[in-house]
Each structure stands twice: as structure tokens, then as C-alpha cells.
């Protein structure tokens, strides 16, 4: 199984600027030690990032970080959309795609996959930091896409999440939003665990619709004073997940 957690961790280093464009990615052994994972997991995560245009292997230089602005996300940012408007568009795209993805995952998820989803939800309940929570949120949704066993679907959603990253970085995260995210994720997990595709589809639709509604409501309330929208699935799912 691809190390989705490792991929998110490496991606965060790139998008936060800790690994700026043109810099060399640390050796696999060093990354494995810092992330507490195997070198094989790091290797797979680097392949996933390479497929999304975030890193590239160059002879004599090893793996280097590419400019995220050169990806499709950069094209959208250049269009002049503000981060919240972009986030709303990303959520609409996700609402069109993810319910069907979740239904497929309910048919194809293995017992080990179910265990992983439970572990992610348990981690979200342990009062992680805001950044840890949003990363877990995105990992939860990315894992569901992975369980379809369709790499193209996973790559498609990775692009969508990447486009929403700026909106994710600008969001805040309330305790109420955390609780709602966990409850909605639990409903999705129950349907997948029950091998019920239609219930999984419905739970995903309910979740994404509620996130979209909350972002729209929060934006209307805060637009006048320049505040941020709430994070969780909005922020992640935009990139989030």
C-alpha cells in the first residue's frame, strides 16, 4: 500500500517552502529516519509526488523540488481567483467525484484498509494540532480513493487537492468543525465497513455538501471583516480530504 501519510508529509515540506523549488530532496535514508518509516515507503511517496509534478529525478542531482506554480494549480492561481473562491470551486468538483469514488471503495476495500481508516479516525480524536488534523483529514479521503485500486482516480483527486492547497492554508479550525468532520467521516467508514456502496455514496454526499455549505456560510459572515473560513474538510479537501 502506498504510504499516503508519507506522501502528505513530504508534500507539506514542499508546499510550506521548507523544501523550496530547485532544492535537493534529502536522501531516502534520511527521510525514512525523520519520518519514522521504511525507505520503501519513502520511495513510493517520492514516485507519487513525481507523478504530480512536485519533484523530479535529475542525473547527477538526485531528486529535486519543482516549482508548484508550474503545475495545473499554478495555472488556476494565475487566473486571479482568491483562495476561498478557489476552495469553493474545488469542493464542488469533489462533490461531483468523491461520492462515486467512495461507493467503489465500499466494494473493493480490504479488511486492512478498514483498519487503516479506523486508525486515522482514532488519530483525529486525539486532539492533534490544526496542521496534523487537516493532514489526517486529507489522508482519510486520499486513502478511500486508493482503495478503489484505480491509480487514475487517485491521481485525479491528488490534482484537485493540490489546487485547493492555498485555501487550506488560509483557513481556521474550530472545535465544532472538528467534531462534525469526525462524525461525518465515521458515517462514511461505517458504510464502507458494511460493504454498502449506496450508503457510502450517500454519506460522502452528505459530508461534502455540509462542508461546502459551511464554507459558503462562513465566507458570507467573515467577508466584511476579512476573516478566514473554517478548515477541516474544506481546507483539506480542498486539499481534503
Amino acid at each position: 500500500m502506498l504510504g499516503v501519510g508519507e506522501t502528505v508529509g513530504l508534500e507539506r515540506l514542499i508546499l510550506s517552502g521548507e523544501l523550496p523549488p530547485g532544492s535537493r530532496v534529502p536522501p531516502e535514508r534520511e527521510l525514512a529516519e525523520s519520518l519514522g518509516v521504511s525507505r520503501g515507503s519513502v520511495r513510493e511517496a517520492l514516485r507519487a509526488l513525481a507523478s504530480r509534478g512536485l519533484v523530479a529525478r535529475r542525473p547527477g542531482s538526485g531528486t529535486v523540488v519543482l516549482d508548484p506554480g508550474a503545475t495545473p494549480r499554478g495555472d488556476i492561481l494565475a487566473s486571479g481567483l482568491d483562495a476561498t473562491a478557489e476552495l469553493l470551486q474545488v469542493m464542488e468538483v469533489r462533490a461531483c467525484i468523491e461520492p462515486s469514488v467512495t461507493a467503489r471503495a465500499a466494494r473493493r476495500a480490504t479488511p486492512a484498509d478498514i483498519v487503516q481508516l479506523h486508525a486515522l479516525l482514532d488519530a483525529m480524536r486525539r486532539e492533534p494540532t490544526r496542521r496534523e488534523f487537516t493532514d489526517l483529514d486529507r489522508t482519510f479521503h486520499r486513502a478511500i480513493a486508493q482503495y478503489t485500486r484505480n491509480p487514475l482516480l487517485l491521481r485525479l483527486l491528488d490534482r484537485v487537492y493540490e489546487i485547493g492547497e492555498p485555501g487550506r492554508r488560509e483557513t481556521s479550525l474550530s472545535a465544532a468543525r472538528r467534531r462534525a468532520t469526525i462524525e461525518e467521516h465515521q458515517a462514511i467508514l461505517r458504510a464502507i465497513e458494511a460493504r454498502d456502496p449506496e450508503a457510502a455514496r450517500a454519506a460522502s454526499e452528505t459530508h461534502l455538501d455540509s462542508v461546502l455549505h459551511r464554507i459558503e456560510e462562513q465566507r458570507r459572515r467573515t467577508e466584511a471583516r476579512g476573516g478566514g473560513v473554517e478548515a477541516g474538510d474544506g481546507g483539506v479537501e480542498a486539499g481534503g480530504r
Side-chain angles (χ1 to χ4, degrees):
M1 178 182 294
L2 178 64
V4 289
E6 289 78 22
T7 303
V8 169
L10 289 172
E11 179 185 358
R12 183 171 66 237
L13 293 176
I14 293 170
L15 296 178
S16 69
E18 292 182 55
L19 288 176
S23 66
R24 183 177 177 179
V25 175
E28 289 178 2
R29 177 181 295 177
E30 183 179 329
L31 284 172
E33 290 176 354
S34 65
L35 293 171
V37 297
S38 69
R39 293 179 65 178
S41 294
V42 169
R43 198 172 300 120
E44 289 187 61
L46 288 172
R47 287 196 195 104
L49 294 178
S51 73
R52 294 162 53 196
L54 293 178
V55 300
R57 291 187 179 275
R58 291 181 178 166
S61 301
T63 301
V64 297
V65 177
L66 301 180
D67 182 0
T71 67
R73 187 192 79 183
D75 294 339
I76 290 181
L77 291 177
S79 70
L81 287 174
D82 67 82
T84 303
E86 182 179 285
L87 180 57
L88 287 168
Q89 292 187 5
V90 165
M91 288 307 302
E92 287 184 350
V93 171
R94 293 188 60 200
C96 292
I97 299 172
E98 286 197 44
S100 293
V101 168
T102 307
R104 288 182 183 276
R107 297 186 186 98
R108 300 175 182 177
T110 67
D113 296 336
I114 302 299
V115 169
Q116 184 185 38
L117 288 182
H118 276 290
L120 288 168
L121 268 184
D122 287 343
M124 293 178 81
R125 294 187 181 103
R126 295 190 194 113
E127 299 187 0
T129 66
R130 173 195 176 280
R131 191 58 180 262
E132 289 168 345
F133 189 92
T134 54
D135 283 349
L136 286 166
D137 182 22
R138 176 169 174 172
T139 301
F140 181 90
H141 287 276
R142 191 175 186 276
I144 290 172
Q146 187 178 351
Y147 302 157
T148 67
R149 271 63 190 179
N150 185 327
L152 184 57
L153 280 174
L154 183 60
R155 287 167 57 194
L156 174 62
L157 283 171
D158 275 340
R159 290 295 190 189
V160 175
Y161 298 152
E162 182 184 346
I163 290 167
E165 182 66 19
R168 175 192 181 193
R169 291 199 303 266
E170 291 188 6
T171 58
S172 60
L173 180 60
S174 69
R177 180 70 205 114
R178 289 192 185 215
R179 289 192 298 272
T181 296
I182 291 169
E183 290 171 4
E184 291 161 8
H185 283 192
Q186 183 65 57
I188 292 171
L189 173 54
R190 278 197 299 267
I192 293 175
E193 192 168 20
R195 310 293 183 189
D196 188 334
E198 291 312 308
R201 184 194 305 274
S204 179
E205 287 175 347
T206 297
H207 174 49
L208 295 171
D209 285 348
S210 70
V211 173
L212 183 58
H213 176 72
R214 278 189 284 269
I215 293 171
E216 290 172 336
E217 285 295 309
Q218 182 73 4
R219 187 184 191 192
R220 283 193 286 269
R221 290 196 302 267
T222 61
E223 213 165 35
R225 62 179 186 272
V229 297
E230 289 184 64
D233 282 289
V236 175
E237 315 234 34
R241 191 261 241 19

